[in-house]
Structures are given as C-alpha cells and as structure tokens.
Amino acid sequence: ALVRESVESLRPLARGALTVAGSGDTIDADPARIRQIILNLVDNALKYARSRVDVELRGREIRVSDDGPGVPPEHREKIFEKFARLGDGPKPPGAGLGLSISRKLALLHGGTLACEGSTFILRLP
C-alpha cells in the first residue's frame, strides 16, 4: 500500500503512462524513509522517461523502470554520489542528491539500491 500511495502522489507529474504492478511483502521499516526512497526513484524516472514509468513489486524488491536513455554501465555507481549529474546536455531540475540520499536510506534499513540501465532496484531484508 505504501508503494502504491507514493506512486499515486506523483501521478500529476506523469507525462505518460505510470503503472504499478505486482505485490510486495510486509516489512518492518520506517515508512516515511521508504516512501522517501520511492518518491525519489519515481520522480527521477518521470524526469527521464520518454513515455512510461513502471513500478514493479516483487516481494521485498521494488523495481522502478522508465523508457528513457538509461545510465551507461560506467556511471552506474557514480550516480549515487552527492551532486552527481551525467552528461553535458540540458539537465532536469534537481541538485543531484536524491539518489545519494536514497541509497543511504536503503543501507540504513539493511537493504541495497542499485541501477541496471533504466531500472533502479531497491531490495529490502
């Protein structure tokens, strides 16, 4: 429910399809911080998506994907650094802190946050 509510709160920002599928496990975590991670991931996906953002729940895993350009393999760890921004072209709004904060929050919950191209994967214990 937390994931679905978080995604729905961002629906007005979507310029295309925004879907949530699957089901997640109930976990013992700080709901405000998990919501913060989800909002950061979905907001980023909405900024880079061409026409769609998909959020998939798989037990204790949340996958946020978009149909944008994705992150090249050589930058997939760098984007989690503070103020990290990729490319020389126009940049979406933001200070480059969301992914850094999200990864730290995931780690504080004993989880991980990784990037695989245009998919971000939050895994919680």
Side-chain angles (χ1 to χ4, degrees), residues 1 9 13 23 29 32 34 41 47 51 54-56 59 62 64 66 77 95 108 110 114 116 119:
S9 73
L13 301 177
S23 62
I34 300 302
L41 296 178
K47 289 175 185 174
S51 64
D54 299 306
V55 179
E56 183 181 5
I62 302 166
V64 179
D66 65 70
E77 282 303 311
L108 286 171
E116 293 180 2
T119 301

Side-chain angles (χ1 to χ4, degrees), residues 96-114:
L97 291 170
L99 290 175
S100 174
I101 291 168
S102 293
R103 180 173 262 184
K104 285 183 179 154
L105 291 173
L107 292 172
L108 286 171
H109 281 85
T112 62
L113 179 59

Side-chain angles (χ1 to χ4, degrees), residues 46-95:
L46 289 169
K47 289 175 185 174
Y48 289 97
R50 290 185 188 108
S51 64
R52 72 176 302 110
V53 173
D54 299 306
V55 179
E56 183 181 5
L57 305 169
R58 295 181 182 178
R60 295 177 171 268
E61 183 178 283
I62 302 166
R63 301 172 71 89
V64 179
S65 303
D66 65 70
D67 62 352
V71 179
E74 65 271 16
H75 295 293
R76 291 183 186 164
E77 282 303 311
K78 179 180 164 87
I79 60 169
F80 292 105
E81 296 173 9
K82 287 182 184 178
F83 309 112
R85 307 290 295 240
L86 298 182
D88 297 325
K91 304 211 182 330

